Amino acid sequence: WVKRVLRVPSYVRYVDDMFLFADRRADLRAWRRAVRDYLGEHLHLRLKHEEAPILSCRGHLDGLGMRLRRELIESLGLDRARGLLTRMGYFAGSRDAEMARRVRPHKTLEEMFSVGPQLHGLEGIVQVELVRLDIDVERGQHYGEFIWKSSSEDEEHSRWSGIGAEPMCWMQIGYASGFTTEFMGRPVLYREVECQSMGQTHCRIVGRPVEDWGAEAIDDLRFLRAETFTQGLSVMPAQQGAAHVM
């Protein structure tokens, strides 16, 4: 929504923080009003700070996500970078699921669950289309199938890596798994069965309880396990001090 409707040229989101960039303060003020109105009307949310500050900055952040992703892959290797980005998405999804229950306490389960896909669309991360959604929290049953179009994560990865043989929406699939696991109160895994980065026209994700996937889930689950990254990082020369790893 931010990219498609507001046409914000430079935009960054990390967990529940958003940064919009423009050359004119008037544009930023207009976007702030539009975002505030959209959150209130469609998601029953509000900005933490009603008058989100407008600040000056030097330079620009075009391609920040692409550069960061590439740097992580080159520094950590493909598997470790995928694990880190997947878990980042997972934790962001978990936080959004907690919020979904707070802001729509009297809505149906489907309406509460839709906060996740709506936030994805609002933030310009991807356009989400529902294929099928079956939810029964009391019985622990879940089946979700969605189509993703215009995935920013795919676009960033394919821009420098080209078409590959594996799905590349790592943060987004982590977000879907984290959101649904928190929402359902049991481990649910979303897997990407089609992906634009593989040359397909769109991405398709399917989510089920982990045990329903059987052996298919083994490879995906390893990217959700925490691990250390020191072996993939360059250590600074001794005279420059010790390296610190977050």
Side-chain angles (χ1 to χ4, degrees), residues 1-185:
W1 184 85
V2 171
K3 290 167 57 180
R4 189 176 67 256
V5 178
L6 295 186
R7 300 188 179 279
V8 176
S10 298
Y11 164 78
V12 174
R13 188 239 179 169
Y14 177 71
V15 189
D16 54 0
D17 292 322
M18 296 191 298
F19 304 88
L20 280 60
F21 299 86
D23 294 326
R24 301 191 311 159
R25 286 178 175 268
D27 291 336
L28 292 170
R29 284 192 288 267
W31 295 337
R32 181 173 58 190
R33 287 194 300 270
V35 169
R36 185 173 56 216
D37 292 346
Y38 185 93
L39 287 173
E41 180 179 350
H42 296 280
L43 300 178
H44 307 291
L45 301 174
R46 61 181 179 82
L47 295 174
K48 184 175 181 180
H49 303 288
E50 287 298 318
E51 292 299 322
I54 295 176
L55 306 173
S56 297
C57 63
R58 294 182 178 180
H60 60 83
L61 292 178
D62 290 340
L64 173 64
M66 178 178 68
R67 292 198 300 271
L68 176 60
R69 185 186 184 96
R70 185 171 185 174
E71 183 175 326
L72 286 173
I73 291 173
E74 292 175 347
S75 300
L76 302 175
L78 196 67
D79 278 5
R80 286 184 172 179
R82 176 178 176 178
L84 177 60
L85 293 172
T86 300
R87 289 192 294 279
M88 287 174 62
Y90 185 96
F91 293 130
S94 296
R95 291 186 61 178
D96 282 354
E98 293 174 356
M99 177 186 63
R101 288 190 175 276
R102 290 198 306 268
V103 301
R104 294 184 176 178
H106 306 299
K107 300 293 184 179
T108 65
L109 287 174
E110 289 77 10
E111 289 173 321
M112 283 191 285
F113 187 86
S114 68
V115 168
Q118 288 173 351
L119 284 173
H120 256 165
L122 167 68
E123 294 153 2
I125 297 172
V126 70
Q127 296 178 36
V128 184
E129 294 182 6
L130 173 64
V131 177
R132 176 184 165 191
L133 180 62
D134 298 325
I135 300 177
D136 190 329
V137 175
E138 291 185 0
R139 295 184 179 181
Q141 297 175 352
H142 178 91
Y143 180 89
E145 185 173 348
F146 298 86
I147 287 175
W148 286 343
K149 295 182 178 179
S150 302
S151 165
S152 59
E153 197 169 6
D154 272 341
E155 292 170 358
E156 291 170 357
H157 188 89
S158 299
R159 199 175 303 161
W160 66 272
S161 183
I163 299 300
E166 296 183 1
M168 291 294 172
C169 297
W170 299 337
M171 286 191 72
Q172 295 176 55
I173 206 69
Y175 179 97
S177 295
F179 184 95
T180 310
T181 293
E182 177 65 32
F183 190 90
M184 293 292 299

